[in-house]
């Protein structure tokens, strides 16, 4: 049995800094520390923080006035910030800078009064956050190519689009092509909103698909980018599975396979992948693990100043 570990996988710079912010705030100020929404979409990370006194909330109103709160990496609509201010909460915004970039584009498009098509998964925290920066009068949310047909915007108008950062690169291209055909004056964001980490992880799974006969993705069920990795493997013609923890892997699915590709979503800590490798090695002790040079190893985002929590 051979294992091939995807070249780029696991924590991206946005997730790493969000997790570091919570770690540092917890260490400095202790529990309880409030976090708005799951800091990142990973069951292990969230449960581990929960055990150490982090309280995850979906409604700012449930937090006692004056407490400390961190906003998750996915971003928040402006109304959440306003509510936090009204309750005198001390807050640090752990929104990934690449999500903030999309918020800024949304504001610019709305200032120009462009009808704005937001491509993403309805109900996902990032989409809820970004929607809050688009004037509701010009906001249109779509998820898939067929939704373009249902848009009732005048085709002669300037129409802008934005996307969630963690979508399938290939599927999103199809949606954008369809938008271009329907709206000849379509305005694109200056640079793709799908972030470098999403693009690199999907490319790395395509690379695995060329070498492997089965792919296993580590990622939680609510992790958008992890689910897209499983779909990428399937779309490349290789049976692909997603598991939250190693104990979810039914080892029988590996029977008859020789080359296992393993990757993990941008919110997945390395120890989850190590658990999976150990589980496979326990069943197939002669397993060899192949790794590749990771082009992302020097990407880090600057942390915000935590003094505002004092
Ligand atoms: S997946 Fe991309 S946008 Fe999301 S936190 Fe990571 S770097 Fe930021």
């Amino acid at each position: 049995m051979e294992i091939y570990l995807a070249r780029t996988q696991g924590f991206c710079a946005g997730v790493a800094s969000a997790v570091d912010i919570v770690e540092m705030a917890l260490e400095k100020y202790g529990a309880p520390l409030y976090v708005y929404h799951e800091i990142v979409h990973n069951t292990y990370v969230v449960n581990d923080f929960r055990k150490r006194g982090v309280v995850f909330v979906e409604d700012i109103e449930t937090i006692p006035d004056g407490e400390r709160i961190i906003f998750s990496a996915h971003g928040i609509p402006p109304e959440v910030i306003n509510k936090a201010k009204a309750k005198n909460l001390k807050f640090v915004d752990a929104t990934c800078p690449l999500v903030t970039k999309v918020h800024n584009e949304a504001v610019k498009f709305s200032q120009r009064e462009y009808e704005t098509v937001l491509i993403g998964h309805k109900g996902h925290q990032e989409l809820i956050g970004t929607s809050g920066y688009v004037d509701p009068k010009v906001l249109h949310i779509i998820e898939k190519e067929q939704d373009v047909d249902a848009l009732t915007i005048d085709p002669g108008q300037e129409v802008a689009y934005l996307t969630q950062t963690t979508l399938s690169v290939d599927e999103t291209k199809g949606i954008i092509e369809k938008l271009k055909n329907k709206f000849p004056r379509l305005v694109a964001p200056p640079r793709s909103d799908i972030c470098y980490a999403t693009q690199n992880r999907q490319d790395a799974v395509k690379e695995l698909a060329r070498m492997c006969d089965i792919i296993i993705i580590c990622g939680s069920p609510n992790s958008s980018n992890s689910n897209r990795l499983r779909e990428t493997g399937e779309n490349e013609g290789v049976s692909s599975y997603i598991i939250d923890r190693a104990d979810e892997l039914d080892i029988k699915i590996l029977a008859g396979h020789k080359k296992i590709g393993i990757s993990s979503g941008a919110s997945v800590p390395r120890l989850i992948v190590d658990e999976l490798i150990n589980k496979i090695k326990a069943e197939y002790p002669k397993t060899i693990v192949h790794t590749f040079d990771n082009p992302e190893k020097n990407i880090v985002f600057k942390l915000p100043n935590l003094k505002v929590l004092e």
Side-chain angles (χ1 to χ4, degrees):
M1 193 74 88
E2 288 176 80
I3 289 175
Y4 290 81
L5 294 180
R7 181 183 298 281
T8 42
Q9 59 169 298
F11 276 13
C12 59
V15 164
S17 47
V19 169
D20 282 352
I21 290 166
V22 178
E23 285 287 359
M24 290 189 308
L26 201 51
E27 191 181 321
K28 192 153 186 203
Y29 304 105
L33 174 69
Y34 292 87
V35 173
Y36 184 75
H37 197 68
E38 294 187 354
I39 185 73
V40 297
H41 286 155
N42 183 264
T43 317
Y44 174 87
V45 172
V46 168
N47 287 344
D48 179 54
F49 278 136
R50 210 172 256 142
K51 277 187 227 148
R52 293 191 280 146
V54 173
V55 182
F56 293 94
V57 297
E58 297 297 328
D59 183 0
I60 289 280
E61 301 299 344
T62 60
I63 305 173
D65 288 7
E67 288 289 346
R68 298 184 176 92
I69 184 165
I70 314 289
F71 297 134
S72 83
H74 314 95
I76 33 154
E79 76 201 39
V80 172
I81 299 177
N82 294 339
K83 279 188 191 169
K85 285 180 181 163
K87 285 180 73 64
N88 285 322
L89 299 179
K90 297 167 201 150
F91 62 85
V92 166
D93 188 357
T95 301
C96 174
L98 301 183
V99 175
T100 305
K101 164 188 131 358
V102 184
H103 293 174
N104 294 340
E105 287 159 354
V107 170
K108 275 188 201 144
F109 287 152
S110 283
Q111 281 166 349
R112 291 174 196 157
E113 299 180 358
Y114 291 164
E115 296 288 335
T116 302
V117 179
L118 183 50
I119 308 167
H121 300 290
K122 288 178 188 159
H124 189 281
Q125 190 60 29
E126 184 186 324
L127 201 82
I128 293 168
T130 303
S131 303
Y133 290 87
V134 182
D135 180 342
K137 295 197 287 293
V138 295
L139 174 65
H140 308 267
I141 297 176
I142 63 169
E143 293 189 313
K144 49 191 187 305
E145 269 189 59
Q146 295 91 301
D147 296 339
V148 176
D149 299 326
L151 289 170
T152 52
I153 310 166
D154 172 2
Q157 260 184 277
E158 269 176 317
V159 175
Y161 74 86
L162 297 165
T163 78
Q164 197 175 317
T165 56
T166 51
L167 299 182
S168 154
V169 175
D170 296 334
E171 265 178 45
T172 308
K173 259 186 212 153
I175 298 174
I176 294 168
E177 271 314 304
K178 197 157 179 184
L179 281 172
K180 270 186 198 153
N181 289 338
K182 182 159 179 170
F183 304 108
R185 299 174 70 200
L186 189 70
V187 180
R191 266 188 25 226
S192 168
D193 292 330
I194 295 183
C195 77
Y196 81 93
T198 300
Q199 173 85 57
N200 286 350
R201 278 155 191 68
Q202 288 174 21
D203 287 348
V205 167
K206 287 180 185 173
E207 189 180 26
L208 287 183
R210 293 193 287 274
M211 296 182 279
C212 302
D213 45 28
I214 187 168
I215 292 176
I216 302 166
I217 306 295
C218 298
S220 293
N222 60 345
S223 164
S224 171
N225 81 89
S226 304
N227 282 292
R228 301 296 81 73
L229 294 183
R230 191 201 65 76
E231 289 166 9
T232 302
E234 285 285 336
N235 291 341
E236 295 297 305
V238 178
S239 295
S240 303
Y241 300 82
I242 184 165
I243 54 165
D244 207 351
R245 295 293 294 269
D247 57 10
E248 282 181 13
L249 175 76
D250 177 2
I251 202 82
K252 290 200 240 35
I253 64 166
L254 302 182
H257 294 286
K258 291 257 177 293
K259 298 184 174 191
I260 310 166
I262 294 181
S263 186
S264 53
S267 46
V268 179
R270 174 62 198 227
L271 72 94
I272 309 270
V273 172
D274 289 338
E275 274 179 4
L276 175 60
I277 295 170
N278 290 340
K279 177 163 179 171
I280 295 170
K281 279 185 166 174
E283 189 74 14
Y284 300 97
K286 289 187 182 155
T287 300
I288 299 164
V289 180
H290 301 277
T291 56
F292 303 98
D293 192 37
N294 175 5
E296 284 181 5
K297 55 181 180 259
N298 296 324
I299 303 178
V300 262
F301 293 158
K302 195 168 168 269
L303 293 180
N305 186 353
L306 293 193
K307 282 210 171 115
V308 290
L309 294 176
E310 279 171 9

